[in-house]
PDB file of all heavy atoms in Angstrom:
ATOM      1  N   ALA A1586     -22.996  -2.438  38.747  1.00 95.00           N
ATOM      2  CA  ALA A1586     -23.816  -2.312  39.943  1.00 95.00           C
ATOM      3  C   ALA A1586     -22.947  -2.459  41.174  1.00 95.00           C
ATOM      4  O   ALA A1586     -21.878  -3.072  41.130  1.00 95.00           O
ATOM      5  CB  ALA A1586     -24.914  -3.372  39.944  1.00 95.00           C
ATOM      6  N   ALA A1587     -23.427  -1.894  42.267  1.00 93.00           N
ATOM      7  CA  ALA A1587     -22.729  -1.963  43.545  1.00 93.00           C
ATOM      8  C   ALA A1587     -23.667  -2.496  44.612  1.00 93.00           C
ATOM      9  O   ALA A1587     -24.859  -2.189  44.606  1.00 93.00           O
ATOM     10  CB  ALA A1587     -22.222  -0.581  43.942  1.00 93.00           C
ATOM     11  N   SER A1588     -23.109  -3.283  45.502  1.00 92.00           N
ATOM     12  CA  SER A1588     -23.905  -3.855  46.580  1.00 92.00           C
ATOM     13  C   SER A1588     -23.238  -3.595  47.917  1.00 92.00           C
ATOM     14  O   SER A1588     -22.029  -3.760  48.043  1.00 92.00           O
ATOM     15  CB  SER A1588     -24.091  -5.358  46.374  1.00 92.00           C
ATOM     16  OG  SER A1588     -24.775  -5.928  47.473  1.00 92.00           O
ATOM     17  N   LYS A1589     -24.032  -3.215  48.880  1.00 88.00           N
ATOM     18  CA  LYS A1589     -23.505  -2.973  50.223  1.00 88.00           C
ATOM     19  C   LYS A1589     -23.380  -4.267  51.010  1.00 88.00           C
ATOM     20  O   LYS A1589     -22.597  -4.349  51.961  1.00 88.00           O
ATOM     21  CB  LYS A1589     -24.421  -1.993  50.960  1.00 88.00           C
ATOM     22  CG  LYS A1589     -24.424  -0.599  50.357  1.00 88.00           C
ATOM     23  CD  LYS A1589     -25.315   0.351  51.143  1.00 88.00           C
ATOM     24  CE  LYS A1589     -26.772   0.100  50.852  1.00 88.00           C
ATOM     25  NZ  LYS A1589     -27.657   1.108  51.478  1.00 88.00           N
ATOM     26  N   ASN A1590     -24.125  -5.294  50.635  1.00 90.00           N
ATOM     27  CA  ASN A1590     -24.216  -6.472  51.496  1.00 90.00           C
ATOM     28  C   ASN A1590     -23.931  -7.807  50.812  1.00 90.00           C
ATOM     29  O   ASN A1590     -23.752  -8.804  51.507  1.00 90.00           O
ATOM     30  CB  ASN A1590     -25.608  -6.550  52.108  1.00 90.00           C
ATOM     31  CG  ASN A1590     -25.922  -5.340  52.975  1.00 90.00           C
ATOM     32  OD1 ASN A1590     -25.161  -5.012  53.877  1.00 90.00           O
ATOM     33  ND2 ASN A1590     -27.016  -4.678  52.684  1.00 90.00           N
ATOM     34  N   TYR A1591     -23.921  -7.832  49.485  1.00 93.00           N
ATOM     35  CA  TYR A1591     -23.792  -9.110  48.800  1.00 93.00           C
ATOM     36  C   TYR A1591     -22.614  -9.101  47.830  1.00 93.00           C
ATOM     37  O   TYR A1591     -22.382  -8.118  47.136  1.00 93.00           O
ATOM     38  CB  TYR A1591     -25.073  -9.440  48.036  1.00 93.00           C
ATOM     39  CG  TYR A1591     -26.264  -9.640  48.939  1.00 93.00           C
ATOM     40  CD1 TYR A1591     -27.142  -8.584  49.184  1.00 93.00           C
ATOM     41  CD2 TYR A1591     -26.496 -10.864  49.545  1.00 93.00           C
ATOM     42  CE1 TYR A1591     -28.222  -8.754  50.016  1.00 93.00           C
ATOM     43  CE2 TYR A1591     -27.595 -11.044  50.382  1.00 93.00           C
ATOM     44  CZ  TYR A1591     -28.443  -9.983  50.612  1.00 93.00           C
ATOM     45  OH  TYR A1591     -29.513 -10.161  51.434  1.00 93.00           O
ATOM     46  N   CYS A1592     -21.889 -10.217  47.805  1.00 93.00           N
ATOM     47  CA  CYS A1592     -20.748 -10.363  46.909  1.00 93.00           C
ATOM     48  C   CYS A1592     -20.842 -11.666  46.133  1.00 93.00           C
ATOM     49  O   CYS A1592     -21.664 -12.531  46.448  1.00 93.00           O
ATOM     50  CB  CYS A1592     -19.438 -10.376  47.706  1.00 93.00           C
ATOM     51  SG  CYS A1592     -19.088  -8.883  48.621  1.00 93.00           S
ATOM     52  N   GLY A1593     -19.991 -11.786  45.136  1.00 93.00           N
ATOM     53  CA  GLY A1593     -19.832 -13.037  44.407  1.00 93.00           C
ATOM     54  C   GLY A1593     -21.125 -13.562  43.821  1.00 93.00           C
ATOM     55  O   GLY A1593     -21.949 -12.820  43.301  1.00 93.00           O
ATOM     56  N   THR A1594     -21.299 -14.875  43.924  1.00 93.00           N
ATOM     57  CA  THR A1594     -22.473 -15.508  43.326  1.00 93.00           C
ATOM     58  C   THR A1594     -23.771 -15.070  44.006  1.00 93.00           C
ATOM     59  O   THR A1594     -24.833 -15.110  43.372  1.00 93.00           O
ATOM     60  CB  THR A1594     -22.338 -17.031  43.378  1.00 93.00           C
ATOM     61  OG1 THR A1594     -22.092 -17.439  44.731  1.00 93.00           O
ATOM     62  CG2 THR A1594     -21.186 -17.506  42.509  1.00 93.00           C
ATOM     63  N   LEU A1595     -23.694 -14.677  45.261  1.00 93.00           N
ATOM     64  CA  LEU A1595     -24.903 -14.165  45.923  1.00 93.00           C
ATOM     65  C   LEU A1595     -25.387 -12.889  45.245  1.00 93.00           C
ATOM     66  O   LEU A1595     -26.595 -12.666  45.123  1.00 93.00           O
ATOM     67  CB  LEU A1595     -24.620 -13.900  47.398  1.00 93.00           C
ATOM     68  CG  LEU A1595     -24.427 -15.116  48.293  1.00 93.00           C
ATOM     69  CD1 LEU A1595     -24.103 -14.682  49.711  1.00 93.00           C
ATOM     70  CD2 LEU A1595     -25.658 -16.019  48.285  1.00 93.00           C
TER      71      LEU A1595
END
Side-chain angles (χ1 to χ4, degrees):
S1588 175
K1589 294 182 284 187
N1590 299 307
Y1591 296 96
C1592 298
T1594 54
L1595 289 178

